Each structure stands twice: as structure tokens, then as C-alpha cells.
Amino acid sequence: MIRFAFALAAVAMVATPSMAANRCRGAKGQFIKCPPPKAAPAAKKCRDAKGKFAKCGTPGAKPA
């Protein structure tokens, strides 16, 4: 019976952090809804008149 209690306690300690991992805490330490993740900025790529990659600020470069 004691082994069962220890096994149950071990499972509870392992499972608790994984359940709370997807929650965020506010300024007062209360659990709040997590803000949505920010999208990564799209990489701007431009090509020159010959079709080679160029900086987007150069004259004649067009977004690809």
C-alpha cells in the first residue's frame, strides 16, 4: 500500500508541471490567458533587372 502511495505521488509531481506549462501569469501572479504568439516578419527579397537578388532599396530592384 505504501508503494502505491509513493507511485501515485511520483506521478502527480511529474504530471503537474506539464499541465501548468501552457498558462501565463499576470502582473499580480494570477493565471491569465496567454497572448497569441507573434508572427515572424516576412523576409523581404528583391531582384534586380537581371534576376539576381539585390537589396530592396537599390534602384531597379523589385519585390520577388
Short mmCIF file of all heavy atoms in Angstrom, two decimals:
data_model
loop_
_atom_site.label_atom_id
_atom_site.label_comp_id
_atom_site.label_asym_id
_atom_site.label_seq_id
_atom_site.Cartn_x
_atom_site.Cartn_y
_atom_site.Cartn_z
N MET A 1 0.82 -1.19 0.00
CA MET A 1 0.00 0.00 0.00
C MET A 1 0.86 1.26 0.00
O MET A 1 0.52 2.25 -0.65
CB MET A 1 -0.92 -0.05 1.23
CG MET A 1 -1.92 1.04 1.26
SD MET A 1 -3.12 0.72 -0.04
CE MET A 1 -4.32 1.90 0.33
N ILE A 2 1.97 1.19 0.72
CA ILE A 2 2.85 2.35 0.77
C ILE A 2 3.51 2.57 -0.60
O ILE A 2 3.67 3.71 -1.03
CB ILE A 2 3.92 2.17 1.87
CG1 ILE A 2 3.24 2.21 3.25
CG2 ILE A 2 4.98 3.25 1.79
CD1 ILE A 2 4.17 1.92 4.39
N ARG A 3 3.85 1.50 -1.28
CA ARG A 3 4.43 1.62 -2.62
C ARG A 3 3.45 2.29 -3.57
O ARG A 3 3.85 3.10 -4.40
CB ARG A 3 4.82 0.25 -3.16
CG ARG A 3 6.00 -0.34 -2.48
CD ARG A 3 6.35 -1.66 -3.10
NE ARG A 3 7.41 -2.30 -2.36
CZ ARG A 3 7.83 -3.52 -2.56
NH1 ARG A 3 7.25 -4.26 -3.51
NH2 ARG A 3 8.79 -4.02 -1.85
N PHE A 4 2.20 1.94 -3.45
CA PHE A 4 1.18 2.55 -4.30
C PHE A 4 1.07 4.05 -4.02
O PHE A 4 0.96 4.86 -4.95
CB PHE A 4 -0.18 1.87 -4.07
CG PHE A 4 -1.30 2.48 -4.86
CD1 PHE A 4 -1.36 2.28 -6.23
CD2 PHE A 4 -2.27 3.26 -4.25
CE1 PHE A 4 -2.37 2.84 -6.98
CE2 PHE A 4 -3.28 3.83 -5.00
CZ PHE A 4 -3.34 3.62 -6.36
N ALA A 5 1.15 4.43 -2.76
CA ALA A 5 1.08 5.85 -2.40
C ALA A 5 2.27 6.62 -2.96
O ALA A 5 2.14 7.73 -3.46
CB ALA A 5 0.99 6.00 -0.88
N PHE A 6 3.47 6.02 -2.86
CA PHE A 6 4.65 6.67 -3.41
C PHE A 6 4.57 6.78 -4.93
O PHE A 6 4.96 7.80 -5.51
CB PHE A 6 5.93 5.92 -3.00
CG PHE A 6 6.35 6.19 -1.58
CD1 PHE A 6 6.59 5.15 -0.72
CD2 PHE A 6 6.52 7.49 -1.13
CE1 PHE A 6 6.99 5.38 0.57
CE2 PHE A 6 6.92 7.74 0.17
CZ PHE A 6 7.15 6.67 1.03
N ALA A 7 4.08 5.74 -5.58
CA ALA A 7 3.94 5.78 -7.02
C ALA A 7 2.93 6.84 -7.45
O ALA A 7 3.15 7.58 -8.41
CB ALA A 7 3.51 4.41 -7.55
N LEU A 8 1.84 6.95 -6.73
CA LEU A 8 0.83 7.96 -7.03
C LEU A 8 1.39 9.37 -6.82
O LEU A 8 1.15 10.27 -7.63
CB LEU A 8 -0.41 7.74 -6.15
CG LEU A 8 -1.60 8.63 -6.45
CD1 LEU A 8 -2.10 8.38 -7.87
CD2 LEU A 8 -2.71 8.37 -5.44
N ALA A 9 2.17 9.57 -5.77
CA ALA A 9 2.78 10.88 -5.51
C ALA A 9 3.79 11.23 -6.61
O ALA A 9 3.87 12.38 -7.04
CB ALA A 9 3.45 10.88 -4.14
N ALA A 10 4.56 10.24 -7.06
CA ALA A 10 5.54 10.49 -8.12
C ALA A 10 4.85 10.88 -9.42
O ALA A 10 5.28 11.80 -10.12
CB ALA A 10 6.41 9.25 -8.32
N VAL A 11 3.78 10.21 -9.76
CA VAL A 11 3.04 10.53 -10.98
C VAL A 11 2.44 11.93 -10.87
O VAL A 11 2.45 12.70 -11.83
CB VAL A 11 1.95 9.47 -11.25
CG1 VAL A 11 1.01 9.93 -12.34
CG2 VAL A 11 2.60 8.15 -11.62
N ALA A 12 1.94 12.29 -9.69
CA ALA A 12 1.34 13.61 -9.51
C ALA A 12 2.38 14.71 -9.66
O ALA A 12 2.11 15.77 -10.23
CB ALA A 12 0.67 13.69 -8.15
N MET A 13 3.60 14.49 -9.16
CA MET A 13 4.65 15.50 -9.27
C MET A 13 5.12 15.66 -10.71
O MET A 13 5.46 16.76 -11.14
CB MET A 13 5.83 15.14 -8.37
CG MET A 13 5.54 15.36 -6.90
SD MET A 13 6.97 15.25 -5.84
CE MET A 13 7.59 13.64 -6.18
N VAL A 14 5.12 14.59 -11.47
CA VAL A 14 5.56 14.66 -12.86
C VAL A 14 4.48 15.30 -13.73
O VAL A 14 4.77 16.07 -14.63
CB VAL A 14 5.92 13.25 -13.38
CG1 VAL A 14 6.16 13.27 -14.87
CG2 VAL A 14 7.13 12.72 -12.64
N ALA A 15 3.23 15.02 -13.46
CA ALA A 15 2.14 15.50 -14.30
C ALA A 15 1.81 16.96 -14.05
O ALA A 15 1.36 17.66 -14.96
CB ALA A 15 0.90 14.65 -14.07
N THR A 16 2.04 17.48 -12.86
CA THR A 16 1.64 18.85 -12.52
C THR A 16 2.35 19.90 -13.37
O THR A 16 1.70 20.77 -13.91
CB THR A 16 1.85 19.10 -11.02
OG1 THR A 16 1.12 18.14 -10.30
CG2 THR A 16 1.39 20.49 -10.64
N PRO A 17 3.68 19.89 -13.53
CA PRO A 17 4.32 20.93 -14.34
C PRO A 17 3.89 20.90 -15.80
O PRO A 17 3.78 21.95 -16.43
CB PRO A 17 5.81 20.63 -14.22
CG PRO A 17 5.95 19.83 -13.01
CD PRO A 17 4.67 19.06 -12.86
N SER A 18 3.63 19.73 -16.33
CA SER A 18 3.24 19.67 -17.74
C SER A 18 1.85 20.25 -17.97
O SER A 18 1.57 20.79 -19.02
CB SER A 18 3.30 18.23 -18.25
OG SER A 18 2.33 17.45 -17.57
N MET A 19 0.98 20.15 -16.99
CA MET A 19 -0.36 20.72 -17.15
C MET A 19 -0.34 22.23 -17.00
O MET A 19 -1.12 22.93 -17.63
CB MET A 19 -1.31 20.11 -16.11
CG MET A 19 -1.67 18.67 -16.38
SD MET A 19 -2.91 18.04 -15.28
CE MET A 19 -1.98 17.86 -13.77
N ALA A 20 0.56 22.77 -16.19
CA ALA A 20 0.61 24.20 -15.96
C ALA A 20 1.55 24.91 -16.93
O ALA A 20 1.68 26.13 -16.88
CB ALA A 20 1.06 24.48 -14.53
N ALA A 21 2.19 24.19 -17.82
CA ALA A 21 3.19 24.79 -18.70
C ALA A 21 2.56 25.72 -19.73
O ALA A 21 3.20 26.66 -20.18
CB ALA A 21 3.98 23.70 -19.40
N ASN A 22 1.32 25.51 -20.12
CA ASN A 22 0.72 26.32 -21.17
C ASN A 22 -0.09 27.49 -20.62
O ASN A 22 -0.92 28.05 -21.32
CB ASN A 22 -0.14 25.45 -22.07
CG ASN A 22 -1.26 24.77 -21.31
OD1 ASN A 22 -1.33 24.89 -20.10
ND2 ASN A 22 -2.12 24.07 -22.00
N ARG A 23 0.13 27.88 -19.40
CA ARG A 23 -0.58 29.01 -18.80
C ARG A 23 0.39 30.14 -18.53
O ARG A 23 1.55 29.93 -18.27
CB ARG A 23 -1.26 28.58 -17.51
CG ARG A 23 -2.32 27.53 -17.76
CD ARG A 23 -3.16 27.33 -16.54
NE ARG A 23 -4.18 26.32 -16.83
CZ ARG A 23 -4.63 25.47 -15.95
NH1 ARG A 23 -4.16 25.49 -14.73
NH2 ARG A 23 -5.55 24.61 -16.28
N CYS A 24 -0.12 31.36 -18.56
CA CYS A 24 0.71 32.53 -18.32
C CYS A 24 0.27 33.18 -17.01
O CYS A 24 -0.86 33.05 -16.60
CB CYS A 24 0.56 33.53 -19.47
SG CYS A 24 1.12 32.86 -21.03
N ARG A 25 1.19 33.90 -16.42
CA ARG A 25 0.87 34.61 -15.18
C ARG A 25 0.88 36.11 -15.45
O ARG A 25 1.72 36.63 -16.16
CB ARG A 25 1.88 34.29 -14.10
CG ARG A 25 1.74 32.87 -13.57
CD ARG A 25 2.66 32.66 -12.39
NE ARG A 25 2.53 31.31 -11.90
CZ ARG A 25 1.91 31.01 -10.77
NH1 ARG A 25 1.39 31.95 -10.02
NH2 ARG A 25 1.83 29.75 -10.39
N GLY A 26 -0.07 36.79 -14.83
CA GLY A 26 -0.17 38.24 -14.97
C GLY A 26 0.76 38.94 -14.00
O GLY A 26 1.59 38.33 -13.33
N ALA A 27 0.63 40.25 -13.90
CA ALA A 27 1.49 41.06 -13.06
C ALA A 27 1.28 40.74 -11.58
O ALA A 27 2.21 40.84 -10.78
CB ALA A 27 1.23 42.54 -13.31
N LYS A 28 0.09 40.34 -11.21
CA LYS A 28 -0.20 40.04 -9.81
C LYS A 28 0.02 38.57 -9.48
O LYS A 28 -0.27 38.13 -8.38
CB LYS A 28 -1.65 40.41 -9.48
CG LYS A 28 -1.93 41.90 -9.61
CD LYS A 28 -3.36 42.21 -9.27
CE LYS A 28 -3.64 43.69 -9.44
NZ LYS A 28 -5.03 44.00 -9.15
N GLY A 29 0.52 37.78 -10.43
CA GLY A 29 0.79 36.38 -10.19
C GLY A 29 -0.39 35.47 -10.46
O GLY A 29 -0.33 34.29 -10.19
N GLN A 30 -1.46 36.03 -10.99
CA GLN A 30 -2.64 35.22 -11.29
C GLN A 30 -2.50 34.62 -12.68
O GLN A 30 -1.87 35.19 -13.56
CB GLN A 30 -3.89 36.08 -11.23
CG GLN A 30 -4.13 36.71 -9.87
CD GLN A 30 -5.24 37.73 -9.93
OE1 GLN A 30 -5.55 38.27 -10.97
NE2 GLN A 30 -5.83 38.00 -8.78
N PHE A 31 -3.12 33.44 -12.86
CA PHE A 31 -3.10 32.83 -14.19
C PHE A 31 -4.04 33.61 -15.11
O PHE A 31 -5.15 33.96 -14.73
CB PHE A 31 -3.54 31.37 -14.13
CG PHE A 31 -2.49 30.47 -13.57
CD1 PHE A 31 -2.63 29.87 -12.35
CD2 PHE A 31 -1.33 30.23 -14.30
CE1 PHE A 31 -1.66 29.03 -11.84
CE2 PHE A 31 -0.35 29.39 -13.80
CZ PHE A 31 -0.52 28.80 -12.56
N ILE A 32 -3.55 33.92 -16.30
CA ILE A 32 -4.34 34.64 -17.29
C ILE A 32 -4.24 33.89 -18.61
O ILE A 32 -3.44 32.98 -18.76
CB ILE A 32 -3.84 36.09 -17.47
CG1 ILE A 32 -2.37 36.10 -17.93
CG2 ILE A 32 -4.03 36.90 -16.21
CD1 ILE A 32 -1.88 37.45 -18.35
N LYS A 33 -5.05 34.31 -19.57
CA LYS A 33 -4.98 33.72 -20.91
C LYS A 33 -3.71 34.24 -21.59
O LYS A 33 -3.41 35.43 -21.57
CB LYS A 33 -6.21 34.13 -21.71
CG LYS A 33 -6.28 33.50 -23.06
CD LYS A 33 -7.56 33.88 -23.79
CE LYS A 33 -7.60 33.26 -25.15
NZ LYS A 33 -8.82 33.64 -25.88
N CYS A 34 -2.96 33.33 -22.18
CA CYS A 34 -1.70 33.71 -22.83
C CYS A 34 -1.99 34.50 -24.10
O CYS A 34 -2.91 34.17 -24.84
CB CYS A 34 -0.89 32.48 -23.18
SG CYS A 34 -0.29 31.58 -21.77
N PRO A 35 -1.19 35.54 -24.38
CA PRO A 35 -1.37 36.26 -25.64
C PRO A 35 -0.95 35.38 -26.80
O PRO A 35 -0.10 34.51 -26.66
CB PRO A 35 -0.44 37.47 -25.49
CG PRO A 35 0.57 37.05 -24.49
CD PRO A 35 -0.12 36.10 -23.56
N PRO A 36 -1.54 35.57 -27.97
CA PRO A 36 -1.16 34.75 -29.13
C PRO A 36 0.29 35.03 -29.52
O PRO A 36 0.78 36.15 -29.36
CB PRO A 36 -2.13 35.19 -30.22
CG PRO A 36 -2.60 36.53 -29.81
CD PRO A 36 -2.56 36.55 -28.30
N PRO A 37 1.01 34.04 -30.02
CA PRO A 37 2.40 34.26 -30.43
C PRO A 37 2.47 35.21 -31.61
O PRO A 37 1.61 35.21 -32.48
CB PRO A 37 2.89 32.87 -30.80
CG PRO A 37 1.66 32.08 -31.09
CD PRO A 37 0.58 32.67 -30.25
N LYS A 38 3.50 36.02 -31.61
CA LYS A 38 3.68 36.97 -32.70
C LYS A 38 4.22 36.25 -33.92
O LYS A 38 5.07 35.38 -33.83
CB LYS A 38 4.66 38.07 -32.27
CG LYS A 38 4.14 38.93 -31.15
CD LYS A 38 5.12 40.02 -30.80
CE LYS A 38 4.59 40.86 -29.64
NZ LYS A 38 5.56 41.88 -29.24
N ALA A 39 3.73 36.64 -35.07
CA ALA A 39 4.18 36.05 -36.33
C ALA A 39 5.55 36.61 -36.68
O ALA A 39 5.84 37.79 -36.46
CB ALA A 39 3.19 36.34 -37.44
N ALA A 40 6.38 35.78 -37.22
CA ALA A 40 7.71 36.22 -37.65
C ALA A 40 7.56 37.14 -38.86
O ALA A 40 6.73 36.91 -39.73
CB ALA A 40 8.57 35.02 -38.01
N PRO A 41 8.35 38.20 -38.91
CA PRO A 41 8.24 39.10 -40.06
C PRO A 41 8.68 38.38 -41.34
O PRO A 41 9.65 37.62 -41.34
CB PRO A 41 9.19 40.24 -39.73
CG PRO A 41 10.14 39.69 -38.73
CD PRO A 41 9.38 38.64 -37.98
N ALA A 42 7.95 38.64 -42.39
CA ALA A 42 8.28 38.02 -43.67
C ALA A 42 9.56 38.63 -44.22
O ALA A 42 9.76 39.84 -44.19
CB ALA A 42 7.14 38.23 -44.66
N ALA A 43 10.43 37.78 -44.66
CA ALA A 43 11.70 38.25 -45.21
C ALA A 43 11.43 38.89 -46.57
O ALA A 43 10.85 38.27 -47.46
CB ALA A 43 12.68 37.11 -45.36
N LYS A 44 11.85 40.12 -46.72
CA LYS A 44 11.67 40.82 -47.99
C LYS A 44 12.84 40.48 -48.90
O LYS A 44 13.99 40.62 -48.53
CB LYS A 44 11.60 42.32 -47.77
CG LYS A 44 10.39 42.76 -46.98
CD LYS A 44 10.34 44.26 -46.86
CE LYS A 44 9.14 44.71 -46.08
NZ LYS A 44 9.09 46.15 -45.92
N LYS A 45 12.53 40.01 -50.07
CA LYS A 45 13.55 39.70 -51.06
C LYS A 45 13.21 40.45 -52.33
O LYS A 45 12.08 40.47 -52.77
CB LYS A 45 13.62 38.20 -51.33
CG LYS A 45 14.08 37.40 -50.14
CD LYS A 45 14.22 35.94 -50.48
CE LYS A 45 14.71 35.17 -49.28
NZ LYS A 45 14.88 33.75 -49.60
N CYS A 46 14.22 41.08 -52.89
CA CYS A 46 14.03 41.82 -54.13
C CYS A 46 15.02 41.30 -55.17
O CYS A 46 16.07 40.77 -54.83
CB CYS A 46 14.25 43.31 -53.89
SG CYS A 46 13.04 44.03 -52.78
N ARG A 47 14.64 41.48 -56.41
CA ARG A 47 15.51 41.08 -57.52
C ARG A 47 15.76 42.28 -58.43
O ARG A 47 14.89 43.13 -58.60
CB ARG A 47 14.87 39.95 -58.32
CG ARG A 47 14.76 38.67 -57.52
CD ARG A 47 14.16 37.57 -58.37
NE ARG A 47 13.97 36.38 -57.59
CZ ARG A 47 14.72 35.27 -57.74
NH1 ARG A 47 15.66 35.23 -58.66
NH2 ARG A 47 14.49 34.22 -57.00
N ASP A 48 16.93 42.30 -59.01
CA ASP A 48 17.24 43.39 -59.94
C ASP A 48 16.78 43.01 -61.34
O ASP A 48 16.09 42.00 -61.53
CB ASP A 48 18.75 43.71 -59.91
CG ASP A 48 19.61 42.53 -60.33
OD1 ASP A 48 19.08 41.48 -60.70
OD2 ASP A 48 20.85 42.68 -60.27
N ALA A 49 17.14 43.80 -62.33
CA ALA A 49 16.67 43.58 -63.70
C ALA A 49 17.21 42.28 -64.30
O ALA A 49 16.58 41.68 -65.17
CB ALA A 49 17.09 44.76 -64.58
N LYS A 50 18.36 41.81 -63.83
CA LYS A 50 18.95 40.58 -64.34
C LYS A 50 18.40 39.33 -63.65
O LYS A 50 18.73 38.22 -64.04
CB LYS A 50 20.47 40.62 -64.17
CG LYS A 50 21.14 41.70 -64.99
CD LYS A 50 22.63 41.68 -64.78
CE LYS A 50 23.32 42.79 -65.57
NZ LYS A 50 24.77 42.81 -65.34
N GLY A 51 17.60 39.53 -62.60
CA GLY A 51 17.03 38.39 -61.89
C GLY A 51 17.82 37.95 -60.68
O GLY A 51 17.47 36.99 -60.02
N LYS A 52 18.90 38.67 -60.35
CA LYS A 52 19.71 38.33 -59.18
C LYS A 52 19.13 39.01 -57.95
O LYS A 52 18.49 40.06 -58.05
CB LYS A 52 21.15 38.78 -59.39
CG LYS A 52 21.85 38.04 -60.52
CD LYS A 52 23.29 38.50 -60.63
CE LYS A 52 24.00 37.78 -61.76
NZ LYS A 52 25.39 38.23 -61.89
N PHE A 53 19.37 38.43 -56.79
CA PHE A 53 18.90 39.04 -55.56
C PHE A 53 19.66 40.33 -55.29
O PHE A 53 20.87 40.41 -55.50
CB PHE A 53 19.07 38.08 -54.38
CG PHE A 53 18.08 36.96 -54.38
CD1 PHE A 53 18.47 35.67 -54.68
CD2 PHE A 53 16.75 37.18 -54.09
CE1 PHE A 53 17.57 34.63 -54.69
CE2 PHE A 53 15.83 36.15 -54.09
CZ PHE A 53 16.22 34.87 -54.39
N ALA A 54 18.93 41.34 -54.83
CA ALA A 54 19.52 42.64 -54.54
C ALA A 54 18.82 43.22 -53.31
O ALA A 54 17.76 42.74 -52.90
CB ALA A 54 19.36 43.58 -55.71
N LYS A 55 19.42 44.23 -52.71
CA LYS A 55 18.79 44.91 -51.58
C LYS A 55 17.55 45.63 -52.11
O LYS A 55 17.55 46.17 -53.21
CB LYS A 55 19.74 45.91 -50.93
CG LYS A 55 20.83 45.25 -50.15
CD LYS A 55 21.65 46.30 -49.40
CE LYS A 55 22.72 45.65 -48.58
NZ LYS A 55 23.50 46.66 -47.82
N CYS A 56 16.52 45.67 -51.27
CA CYS A 56 15.25 46.25 -51.73
C CYS A 56 15.32 47.77 -51.91
O CYS A 56 14.47 48.35 -52.55
CB CYS A 56 14.13 45.89 -50.76
SG CYS A 56 13.71 44.14 -50.85
N GLY A 57 16.32 48.43 -51.39
CA GLY A 57 16.39 49.88 -51.53
C GLY A 57 17.15 50.33 -52.78
O GLY A 57 17.13 51.52 -53.11
N THR A 58 17.76 49.43 -53.50
CA THR A 58 18.54 49.83 -54.67
C THR A 58 17.62 50.19 -55.83
O THR A 58 16.54 49.63 -55.97
CB THR A 58 19.50 48.70 -55.09
OG1 THR A 58 18.76 47.53 -55.36
CG2 THR A 58 20.52 48.41 -54.01
N PRO A 59 18.06 51.10 -56.72
CA PRO A 59 17.24 51.44 -57.86
C PRO A 59 17.06 50.26 -58.82
O PRO A 59 18.01 49.53 -59.10
CB PRO A 59 18.03 52.57 -58.55
CG PRO A 59 19.15 52.92 -57.68
CD PRO A 59 19.28 51.87 -56.63
N GLY A 60 15.87 50.06 -59.30
CA GLY A 60 15.58 49.00 -60.24
C GLY A 60 15.23 47.67 -59.59
O GLY A 60 14.86 46.72 -60.27
N ALA A 61 15.33 47.57 -58.27
CA ALA A 61 15.01 46.31 -57.59
C ALA A 61 13.51 46.22 -57.38
O ALA A 61 12.84 47.19 -57.01
CB ALA A 61 15.74 46.26 -56.25
N LYS A 62 12.96 45.04 -57.65
CA LYS A 62 11.53 44.83 -57.50
C LYS A 62 11.30 43.67 -56.52
O LYS A 62 12.08 42.72 -56.50
CB LYS A 62 10.89 44.49 -58.84
CG LYS A 62 10.96 45.63 -59.84
CD LYS A 62 10.30 45.25 -61.14
CE LYS A 62 10.40 46.42 -62.13
NZ LYS A 62 9.78 46.10 -63.42
N PRO A 63 10.25 43.74 -55.71
CA PRO A 63 9.98 42.64 -54.77
C PRO A 63 9.71 41.34 -55.51
O PRO A 63 9.05 41.32 -56.54
CB PRO A 63 8.73 43.09 -54.02
CG PRO A 63 8.53 44.52 -54.34
CD PRO A 63 9.30 44.83 -55.58
N ALA A 64 10.26 40.27 -54.96
CA ALA A 64 10.08 38.96 -55.61
C ALA A 64 8.96 38.20 -54.93
O ALA A 64 8.71 38.28 -53.80
CB ALA A 64 11.35 38.14 -55.52
#
